[in-house]
Each structure stands twice: as structure tokens, then as C-alpha cells.
Amino acid sequence: MKFMTFMLPAIPGTLDERRQLRPIAHRPERFQQMIREITELSQMAEDLGFEAVGFPEHHLHTEGLEMGSLPLLYQHVIHNTKRVKVGPIGYVLAGWNPLRLALEIAWLDQLTKGRTFVGFARGYQNRWLRQMAQKVHVSATRSDKSEADKANREAFEEVFRFLKLAWGDKPFRVKGKHYEYPMPYDNPELWPPHEWTRAMGSPGEVDDQGLLQMIDVVPKPYQKPHPPLFQAFSLSEETVRWCAREGLNPSLLVGDPAKVRGFAEIYVEEAAKSGRTLGLGDNVAVLRQVNLGDTYAEARGYAELGMTGVGMPKFFAHFGFTEAWRLPEDEAKYAGKLLPVSECTVERQEKAEFAWIGTPDDIRRHMDRLVEAANPEWFIWQSDQGLLSFDDNRRQLELFGTKVLPHFKERRAATAQAAE
């Protein structure tokens, strides 16, 4: 199993401070504090044996809970660490010009000599996505099969197809619903230094008349054929099957180990149809909220103040995240309905096995059940950075990194040795 710590990132502050200093995201001193915390927690995670540090992409959060991420943040964290891979889970593709994104990804991968990964998301927050995707007239989605959902998926897959072409070794031309390359597609323009390009550039970019017929995106990624790919954050079989066909790591939110196993089996099945033979859990990532303490009561206190007790019910539950924690007994009460925000409690998240709360021994038992059920390749720990104090976050990371992670590192090493 490989380990990633996932930070929002968040402007540090209690609920009272967020009210008193509103909007806290305007405060340069708090923003600098967030950057210091991200950097030091990333360094600590690396020292403890984590393989990766991840961030989502979200913007315009004046409340300071989720400040999003850009390639500059990844580069900063990579510059201040030595080994871990750093990247997004993930870029919200509908909000990006695909050519610009292909360039950003490749440049970062080259500058860091392959110390990055790339994740993608469809986007569920209209406050910022509508602003960035207004030229393609795409909105956020909750994967509800509506017309808006179909339009979002269409734009997502079009940008993804362009990225795959951009990472390839040949020039190309492509015309989609939203983008065409080269532009204009149907009336090629004269490229004045066409003799230079015909002699020195990629074959086929210009024709004998000097007209631009194809483009070739450079640089190419340092990693071949591209950085590792992740998909955020999945609850649907449709998404898992698409990831298996395209070679992405789906990041699962479902808590029940039996359901995780079901998705892992679907992934293996679908990958085989594309000619890829995988073992159970290969290329599968699982995200969990973890809070540890010397006692359950101490760990529960962290959970109440962190993502489980504050971030989820105050913010994320309003976007349908509660569906990840649906229990068998909900079918009678909420059949055909989304779980209401009021159901986003610490107790529910713990019962659904999304929130792991307890001593290091308790957390190891949770991890054992997950490994025995589905053996996911990646474990993603959603950090409480910005919600808990910096000292409390350091303590959580230290307990996990010294009391839990080594056990599973040793198990992976032993399994690999036995396979040889």
C-alpha cells in the first residue's frame, strides 16, 4: 500500500476566528501561516514514509476552508521536499483551456523531473466553475444524469482526450464540440516561417503551401507516457469502469470494505477488456478521514473539531457527499432521496467506516479490514490542516506515521519479496 496525505488547503482558524476575521482569506498573515503549515506537514509526511501529497482544485473560498491549488503550489511543495510526488486530485477539466493545461502539466513534470502526479475531476461547485467555464457553457454536476450532468461529462471527456493527444509523440489535429486544433480547423492559416518548421519541426505541422495543418504540444511530460493519473472522488460504477479503460486510479469515498472490494473487482474486470491484467486493488485509491489519540476520547475530540465534525457537515455535506455514508437502514427512510445534511454526523461517518477514530491499534484494525477486503494500492488520508491547530495536526501525522504506516509498509515489502 502507498500513502498520500491530502490537504485542502485551509486558512488556519477556529470557527470563532472565521466569523471575527471574515473574510479570513483576505488576511495575508493567515495565508502565510497556511503556506508554512502545508510545507512543514509535507516535509513531515515525507520523513515518515508517505509517497505523495495531494490537493484539490477549488477557488473563491473567502471562508478560508478550501483554498484550492495551482501548479505554483505543487512546485513550492516539491521545492521544499526531496522525494514525495505532489499534485492535484484533481484539475476540474471543464474549467481549463486544454492547451494551457497540457502545457502546465508538462512543464511542472519537467521542472521537477517527474515528482508530480495528475488528477482530474468533473467539478461540483458552481460558485467558481461557472466563472471559469463560461465560454463552454458548462456548470458543476452531482452526477445525476441530468442535461447539465451530460454536458459536464462531455466537456470533461473532450479535454481529457486532448490531453492524451498532447502527451503523445506525434502532431495532431482534432475538432471537438468546444475546442479545435489547429484553430481555425477548416481554413488553415499560413505559417510565415514554414520552411524553418518543415525542416526543423514535427513532420506534418505545415503542408507544402506553408499552411498550418497540425499542432504538436511541447514539452512532453518527463514521465512516460505521462504522470500517474487519478480521478476524484468516486461513488459510481460508471466512473470506475471509465477509469479502468483509461488507466486512471479512481479515488473511492465509499466506506464499507465490501463495497470497496466490489469496485476493485469491477476495475480488474474492465481493465481486462482493455488488455490490462491487474490484481485486486491495483490502481485503486481509497480516501479516509483519520483521527488518532492515546485514547478513543482524545481521538474523538480531534474528529469533532476537524473535517469530520466541522468541514463535512458545515460545507461538503451540502454537495451530496453524504451519499458515501448511506447505510442499509436508510433505504426505508430515504429511498430514492439524497441523505439530508442533518445526517452528516460524526457518528454516521464513523459507522459507515469513512471516518476512522481511535488509538493507533484501532486504526490498524480498520486498515487490516480494508486491505483484506480489497487491497487498494493507494490510501489517501484527508488532513485536518487548517481546522485543527498546527501542533494537533503534527501529532496526528506523527502517530499515524510511527504507529500505523510502518506495519503496512513492512507487509507490502514482504509481499513483494514473496512474489519474487
Side-chain angles (χ1 to χ4, degrees), residues 370-413:
L370 180 62
V371 170
E372 289 164 8
N375 194 33
E377 181 174 350
W378 283 92
F379 182 81
I380 304 174
W381 177 10
Q382 182 160 275
S383 170
D384 289 311
Q385 182 276 322
L387 290 172
L388 297 182
S389 73
F390 182 52
D391 286 343
D392 287 342
N393 275 303
R394 284 177 56 86
R395 173 165 166 72
Q396 298 284 286
L397 196 55
E398 181 180 18
L399 281 173
F400 187 89
T402 59
K403 304 294 185 181
V404 179
L405 185 147
H407 171 69
F408 296 94
K409 290 277 190 181
E410 291 165 6
R411 174 186 287 189
R412 188 177 76 185

Short mmCIF file of all heavy atoms in Angstrom, two decimals, residues 370-413:
data_model
loop_
_atom_site.label_atom_id
_atom_site.label_comp_id
_atom_site.label_asym_id
_atom_site.label_seq_id
_atom_site.Cartn_x
_atom_site.Cartn_y
_atom_site.Cartn_z
N LEU A 370 -9.68 -3.22 5.53
CA LEU A 370 -9.67 -2.68 4.17
C LEU A 370 -8.72 -3.46 3.28
O LEU A 370 -9.05 -3.81 2.13
CB LEU A 370 -9.27 -1.20 4.22
CG LEU A 370 -9.20 -0.47 2.87
CD1 LEU A 370 -10.58 -0.44 2.21
CD2 LEU A 370 -8.67 0.94 3.07
N VAL A 371 -7.53 -3.76 3.78
CA VAL A 371 -6.54 -4.50 2.99
C VAL A 371 -7.04 -5.91 2.70
O VAL A 371 -6.92 -6.41 1.57
CB VAL A 371 -5.18 -4.52 3.72
CG1 VAL A 371 -4.22 -5.48 3.02
CG2 VAL A 371 -4.58 -3.12 3.77
N GLU A 372 -7.60 -6.56 3.69
CA GLU A 372 -8.09 -7.93 3.49
C GLU A 372 -9.24 -7.97 2.50
O GLU A 372 -9.38 -8.92 1.73
CB GLU A 372 -8.52 -8.51 4.83
CG GLU A 372 -7.34 -8.82 5.76
CD GLU A 372 -7.76 -9.04 7.20
OE1 GLU A 372 -9.01 -9.10 7.44
OE2 GLU A 372 -6.89 -9.12 8.07
N ALA A 373 -10.06 -6.93 2.50
CA ALA A 373 -11.22 -6.91 1.60
C ALA A 373 -10.84 -6.57 0.17
O ALA A 373 -11.31 -7.22 -0.78
CB ALA A 373 -12.26 -5.92 2.11
N ALA A 374 -9.99 -5.55 -0.02
CA ALA A 374 -9.80 -5.03 -1.38
C ALA A 374 -8.35 -4.73 -1.74
O ALA A 374 -8.06 -4.50 -2.90
CB ALA A 374 -10.62 -3.75 -1.55
N ASN A 375 -7.45 -4.69 -0.77
CA ASN A 375 -6.03 -4.46 -1.00
C ASN A 375 -5.76 -3.26 -1.92
O ASN A 375 -5.03 -3.36 -2.92
CB ASN A 375 -5.39 -5.71 -1.61
CG ASN A 375 -3.86 -5.67 -1.57
OD1 ASN A 375 -3.29 -5.11 -0.64
ND2 ASN A 375 -3.22 -6.23 -2.57
N PRO A 376 -6.33 -2.08 -1.62
CA PRO A 376 -6.13 -0.94 -2.52
C PRO A 376 -4.66 -0.53 -2.59
O PRO A 376 -3.94 -0.57 -1.59
CB PRO A 376 -6.98 0.17 -1.88
CG PRO A 376 -7.08 -0.21 -0.44
CD PRO A 376 -7.11 -1.71 -0.42
N GLU A 377 -4.24 -0.12 -3.77
CA GLU A 377 -2.85 0.28 -3.97
C GLU A 377 -2.52 1.56 -3.22
O GLU A 377 -1.40 1.73 -2.73
CB GLU A 377 -2.57 0.47 -5.46
CG GLU A 377 -1.14 0.85 -5.77
CD GLU A 377 -0.84 0.89 -7.26
OE1 GLU A 377 -1.70 0.44 -8.05
OE2 GLU A 377 0.25 1.37 -7.64
N TRP A 378 -3.50 2.49 -3.13
CA TRP A 378 -3.27 3.79 -2.51
C TRP A 378 -4.22 4.01 -1.35
O TRP A 378 -5.43 3.72 -1.45
CB TRP A 378 -3.48 4.91 -3.52
CG TRP A 378 -2.36 5.10 -4.48
CD1 TRP A 378 -2.21 4.53 -5.72
CD2 TRP A 378 -1.20 5.93 -4.28
NE1 TRP A 378 -1.04 4.96 -6.30
CE2 TRP A 378 -0.40 5.81 -5.45
CE3 TRP A 378 -0.77 6.76 -3.25
CZ2 TRP A 378 0.81 6.49 -5.60
CZ3 TRP A 378 0.42 7.44 -3.38
CH2 TRP A 378 1.21 7.31 -4.55
N PHE A 379 -3.70 4.55 -0.25
CA PHE A 379 -4.51 5.03 0.86
C PHE A 379 -4.31 6.54 0.96
O PHE A 379 -3.17 7.01 1.13
CB PHE A 379 -4.12 4.37 2.18
CG PHE A 379 -4.97 4.81 3.33
CD1 PHE A 379 -6.21 4.24 3.55
CD2 PHE A 379 -4.53 5.81 4.20
CE1 PHE A 379 -7.01 4.65 4.61
CE2 PHE A 379 -5.31 6.22 5.27
CZ PHE A 379 -6.56 5.65 5.47
N ILE A 380 -5.40 7.29 0.86
CA ILE A 380 -5.34 8.76 0.90
C ILE A 380 -5.96 9.23 2.22
O ILE A 380 -7.13 8.95 2.49
CB ILE A 380 -6.10 9.37 -0.29
CG1 ILE A 380 -5.55 8.83 -1.62
CG2 ILE A 380 -5.99 10.90 -0.26
CD1 ILE A 380 -6.34 9.28 -2.84
N TRP A 381 -5.16 9.92 3.00
CA TRP A 381 -5.61 10.44 4.30
C TRP A 381 -5.96 11.91 4.15
O TRP A 381 -5.11 12.73 3.87
CB TRP A 381 -4.51 10.25 5.34
CG TRP A 381 -4.84 10.80 6.69
CD1 TRP A 381 -6.05 11.28 7.12
CD2 TRP A 381 -3.94 10.95 7.79
NE1 TRP A 381 -5.96 11.70 8.42
CE2 TRP A 381 -4.67 11.51 8.86
CE3 TRP A 381 -2.60 10.66 7.98
CZ2 TRP A 381 -4.10 11.79 10.09
CZ3 TRP A 381 -2.02 10.93 9.20
CH2 TRP A 381 -2.77 11.49 10.24
N GLN A 382 -7.24 12.23 4.32
CA GLN A 382 -7.68 13.62 4.24
C GLN A 382 -7.30 14.35 5.53
O GLN A 382 -7.81 14.04 6.60
CB GLN A 382 -9.18 13.70 4.01
CG GLN A 382 -9.67 15.13 3.89
CD GLN A 382 -11.02 15.21 3.21
OE1 GLN A 382 -11.13 15.24 2.00
NE2 GLN A 382 -12.06 15.22 4.02
N SER A 383 -6.41 15.31 5.40
CA SER A 383 -5.84 16.00 6.55
C SER A 383 -6.82 17.00 7.18
O SER A 383 -7.73 17.50 6.51
CB SER A 383 -4.57 16.74 6.10
OG SER A 383 -4.09 17.61 7.09
N ASP A 384 -6.59 17.30 8.44
CA ASP A 384 -7.34 18.34 9.15
C ASP A 384 -6.59 19.67 9.14
O ASP A 384 -6.91 20.56 9.95
CB ASP A 384 -7.59 17.92 10.60
CG ASP A 384 -8.60 16.80 10.71
OD1 ASP A 384 -9.67 16.90 10.11
OD2 ASP A 384 -8.31 15.81 11.41
N GLN A 385 -5.63 19.83 8.25
CA GLN A 385 -4.84 21.07 8.19
C GLN A 385 -5.79 22.28 8.10
O GLN A 385 -6.70 22.29 7.30
CB GLN A 385 -3.89 21.05 6.98
CG GLN A 385 -3.00 22.26 6.85
CD GLN A 385 -3.68 23.43 6.15
OE1 GLN A 385 -4.45 23.24 5.20
NE2 GLN A 385 -3.42 24.64 6.64
N GLY A 386 -5.53 23.27 8.95
CA GLY A 386 -6.31 24.50 8.94
C GLY A 386 -7.50 24.48 9.86
O GLY A 386 -8.01 25.55 10.24
N LEU A 387 -7.97 23.28 10.24
CA LEU A 387 -9.09 23.17 11.17
C LEU A 387 -8.60 22.86 12.57
O LEU A 387 -9.00 23.50 13.53
CB LEU A 387 -10.08 22.11 10.68
CG LEU A 387 -10.88 22.50 9.43
CD1 LEU A 387 -11.68 21.33 8.92
CD2 LEU A 387 -11.80 23.68 9.72
N LEU A 388 -7.74 21.84 12.69
CA LEU A 388 -7.07 21.62 13.96
C LEU A 388 -5.84 22.52 14.04
O LEU A 388 -5.35 23.02 13.03
CB LEU A 388 -6.63 20.16 14.08
CG LEU A 388 -7.73 19.09 14.09
CD1 LEU A 388 -7.12 17.72 14.26
CD2 LEU A 388 -8.76 19.37 15.18
N SER A 389 -5.34 22.72 15.25
CA SER A 389 -4.12 23.52 15.41
C SER A 389 -2.96 22.82 14.72
O SER A 389 -2.99 21.59 14.49
CB SER A 389 -3.80 23.72 16.89
OG SER A 389 -3.30 22.51 17.46
N PHE A 390 -1.92 23.58 14.40
CA PHE A 390 -0.76 23.00 13.74
C PHE A 390 -0.14 21.91 14.61
O PHE A 390 0.23 20.84 14.11
CB PHE A 390 0.26 24.10 13.44
CG PHE A 390 1.47 23.62 12.71
CD1 PHE A 390 1.36 22.87 11.54
CD2 PHE A 390 2.74 23.89 13.20
CE1 PHE A 390 2.48 22.43 10.86
CE2 PHE A 390 3.87 23.46 12.52
CZ PHE A 390 3.74 22.72 11.35
N ASP A 391 -0.05 22.14 15.92
CA ASP A 391 0.52 21.13 16.81
C ASP A 391 -0.32 19.86 16.83
O ASP A 391 0.21 18.74 16.83
CB ASP A 391 0.64 21.68 18.23
CG ASP A 391 1.78 22.69 18.38
OD1 ASP A 391 2.67 22.71 17.49
OD2 ASP A 391 1.78 23.44 19.37
N ASP A 392 -1.65 20.01 16.80
CA ASP A 392 -2.51 18.83 16.79
C ASP A 392 -2.38 18.08 15.47
O ASP A 392 -2.38 16.83 15.45
CB ASP A 392 -3.97 19.23 17.02
CG ASP A 392 -4.23 19.63 18.48
OD1 ASP A 392 -3.41 19.27 19.34
OD2 ASP A 392 -5.25 20.29 18.73
N ASN A 393 -2.26 18.79 14.37
CA ASN A 393 -2.06 18.12 13.09
C ASN A 393 -0.73 17.38 13.05
O ASN A 393 -0.64 16.26 12.51
CB ASN A 393 -2.13 19.14 11.95
CG ASN A 393 -3.55 19.40 11.49
OD1 ASN A 393 -4.25 18.48 11.09
ND2 ASN A 393 -3.98 20.64 11.56
N ARG A 394 0.31 17.98 13.62
CA ARG A 394 1.60 17.30 13.68
C ARG A 394 1.50 16.02 14.52
O ARG A 394 2.06 14.98 14.16
CB ARG A 394 2.67 18.23 14.26
CG ARG A 394 3.16 19.30 13.30
CD ARG A 394 4.18 20.23 13.98
NE ARG A 394 5.28 19.48 14.54
CZ ARG A 394 6.37 19.11 13.87
NH1 ARG A 394 6.50 19.44 12.59
NH2 ARG A 394 7.34 18.43 14.45
N ARG A 395 0.77 16.11 15.61
CA ARG A 395 0.62 14.92 16.47
C ARG A 395 -0.13 13.82 15.74
O ARG A 395 0.25 12.65 15.82
CB ARG A 395 -0.10 15.32 17.76
CG ARG A 395 -0.46 14.11 18.65
CD ARG A 395 -0.84 14.53 20.05
NE ARG A 395 -1.48 13.45 20.79
CZ ARG A 395 -0.87 12.37 21.25
NH1 ARG A 395 0.42 12.21 21.03
NH2 ARG A 395 -1.54 11.45 21.92
N GLN A 396 -1.19 14.18 15.02
CA GLN A 396 -1.93 13.17 14.26
C GLN A 396 -1.02 12.49 13.25
O GLN A 396 -1.00 11.26 13.12
CB GLN A 396 -3.10 13.85 13.52
CG GLN A 396 -4.14 14.50 14.39
CD GLN A 396 -5.07 13.50 15.03
OE1 GLN A 396 -5.93 12.93 14.37
NE2 GLN A 396 -4.87 13.26 16.31
N LEU A 397 -0.26 13.30 12.52
CA LEU A 397 0.62 12.75 11.49
C LEU A 397 1.70 11.87 12.11
O LEU A 397 2.03 10.79 11.56
CB LEU A 397 1.24 13.91 10.71
CG LEU A 397 1.90 13.60 9.36
CD1 LEU A 397 0.94 12.89 8.42
CD2 LEU A 397 2.40 14.90 8.72
N GLU A 398 2.25 12.30 13.23
CA GLU A 398 3.30 11.52 13.87
C GLU A 398 2.77 10.17 14.36
O GLU A 398 3.43 9.12 14.18
CB GLU A 398 3.89 12.30 15.05
CG GLU A 398 5.02 11.55 15.75
CD GLU A 398 5.60 12.34 16.91
OE1 GLU A 398 4.94 13.29 17.39
OE2 GLU A 398 6.72 12.00 17.34
N LEU A 399 1.59 10.17 14.98
CA LEU A 399 1.02 8.90 15.45
C LEU A 399 0.77 7.94 14.29
O LEU A 399 1.09 6.75 14.37
CB LEU A 399 -0.29 9.17 16.20
CG LEU A 399 -0.18 9.67 17.63
CD1 LEU A 399 -1.55 10.05 18.16
CD2 LEU A 399 0.46 8.61 18.53
N PHE A 400 0.20 8.45 13.21
CA PHE A 400 -0.07 7.59 12.07
C PHE A 400 1.23 7.09 11.45
O PHE A 400 1.38 5.91 11.11
CB PHE A 400 -0.90 8.35 11.02
CG PHE A 400 -1.37 7.47 9.89
CD1 PHE A 400 -2.57 6.80 9.97
CD2 PHE A 400 -0.61 7.32 8.74
CE1 PHE A 400 -3.01 5.99 8.93
CE2 PHE A 400 -1.03 6.52 7.69
CZ PHE A 400 -2.24 5.85 7.80
N GLY A 401 2.20 8.02 11.29
CA GLY A 401 3.44 7.67 10.60
C GLY A 401 4.35 6.76 11.37
O GLY A 401 5.15 6.03 10.77
N THR A 402 4.24 6.75 12.71
CA THR A 402 5.12 5.90 13.52
C THR A 402 4.43 4.64 14.05
O THR A 402 5.09 3.63 14.30
CB THR A 402 5.69 6.69 14.71
OG1 THR A 402 4.61 7.18 15.52
CG2 THR A 402 6.54 7.85 14.23
N LYS A 403 3.09 4.69 14.20
CA LYS A 403 2.38 3.58 14.81
C LYS A 403 1.52 2.76 13.85
O LYS A 403 1.15 1.63 14.16
CB LYS A 403 1.47 4.10 15.94
CG LYS A 403 2.17 4.93 17.01
CD LYS A 403 3.15 4.10 17.82
CE LYS A 403 3.73 4.92 18.97
NZ LYS A 403 4.71 4.15 19.77
N VAL A 404 1.20 3.32 12.69
CA VAL A 404 0.30 2.63 11.75
C VAL A 404 1.02 2.33 10.44
O VAL A 404 1.10 1.17 10.00
CB VAL A 404 -0.96 3.46 11.49
CG1 VAL A 404 -1.88 2.74 10.49
CG2 VAL A 404 -1.71 3.74 12.79
N LEU A 405 1.54 3.35 9.81
CA LEU A 405 2.12 3.21 8.46
C LEU A 405 3.21 2.14 8.38
O LEU A 405 3.22 1.36 7.42
CB LEU A 405 2.63 4.58 8.00
CG LEU A 405 3.18 4.70 6.59
CD1 LEU A 405 2.89 6.09 6.03
CD2 LEU A 405 4.68 4.45 6.56
N PRO A 406 4.15 2.04 9.34
CA PRO A 406 5.23 1.05 9.19
C PRO A 406 4.73 -0.38 9.06
O PRO A 406 5.31 -1.19 8.32
CB PRO A 406 6.05 1.24 10.48
CG PRO A 406 5.81 2.65 10.89
CD PRO A 406 4.37 2.90 10.53
N HIS A 407 3.65 -0.71 9.75
CA HIS A 407 3.10 -2.07 9.68
C HIS A 407 2.73 -2.43 8.25
O HIS A 407 3.00 -3.54 7.79
CB HIS A 407 1.87 -2.16 10.59
CG HIS A 407 1.10 -3.44 10.46
ND1 HIS A 407 1.57 -4.65 10.87
CD2 HIS A 407 -0.14 -3.68 9.93
CE1 HIS A 407 0.68 -5.60 10.62
NE2 HIS A 407 -0.37 -5.03 10.05
N PHE A 408 2.14 -1.49 7.53
CA PHE A 408 1.68 -1.78 6.17
C PHE A 408 2.80 -1.64 5.15
O PHE A 408 2.78 -2.27 4.10
CB PHE A 408 0.47 -0.91 5.86
CG PHE A 408 -0.69 -1.24 6.75
CD1 PHE A 408 -0.91 -0.53 7.92
CD2 PHE A 408 -1.51 -2.32 6.47
CE1 PHE A 408 -1.94 -0.87 8.78
CE2 PHE A 408 -2.55 -2.67 7.31
CZ PHE A 408 -2.77 -1.95 8.48
N LYS A 409 3.79 -0.82 5.46
CA LYS A 409 4.99 -0.78 4.63
C LYS A 409 5.71 -2.13 4.69
O LYS A 409 6.16 -2.67 3.66
CB LYS A 409 5.93 0.33 5.10
CG LYS A 409 5.44 1.73 4.84
CD LYS A 409 5.76 2.15 3.45
CE LYS A 409 5.49 3.63 3.24
NZ LYS A 409 5.79 4.06 1.87
N GLU A 410 5.83 -2.67 5.89
CA GLU A 410 6.50 -3.95 6.06
C GLU A 410 5.72 -5.07 5.36
O GLU A 410 6.30 -5.95 4.73
CB GLU A 410 6.65 -4.26 7.55
CG GLU A 410 7.64 -3.35 8.27
CD GLU A 410 7.51 -3.42 9.78
OE1 GLU A 410 6.74 -4.27 10.27
OE2 GLU A 410 8.17 -2.62 10.46
N ARG A 411 4.40 -5.02 5.46
CA ARG A 411 3.57 -6.03 4.80
C ARG A 411 3.76 -5.96 3.29
O ARG A 411 3.89 -7.00 2.63
CB ARG A 411 2.10 -5.83 5.16
CG ARG A 411 1.17 -6.75 4.40
CD ARG A 411 -0.30 -6.45 4.66
NE ARG A 411 -0.72 -6.89 5.98
CZ ARG A 411 -1.98 -6.90 6.37
NH1 ARG A 411 -2.94 -6.49 5.56
NH2 ARG A 411 -2.30 -7.29 7.58
N ARG A 412 3.78 -4.74 2.72
CA ARG A 412 3.97 -4.61 1.29
C ARG A 412 5.32 -5.13 0.86
O ARG A 412 5.44 -5.81 -0.16
CB ARG A 412 3.82 -3.15 0.87
CG ARG A 412 3.80 -2.94 -0.65
CD ARG A 412 3.57 -1.49 -1.01
NE ARG A 412 4.77 -0.71 -0.81
CZ ARG A 412 4.85 0.60 -0.95
NH1 ARG A 412 3.76 1.28 -1.28
NH2 ARG A 412 5.96 1.26 -0.76
N ALA A 413 6.37 -4.82 1.64
CA ALA A 413 7.71 -5.28 1.30
C ALA A 413 7.77 -6.82 1.34
O ALA A 413 8.39 -7.44 0.46
CB ALA A 413 8.72 -4.68 2.26
#
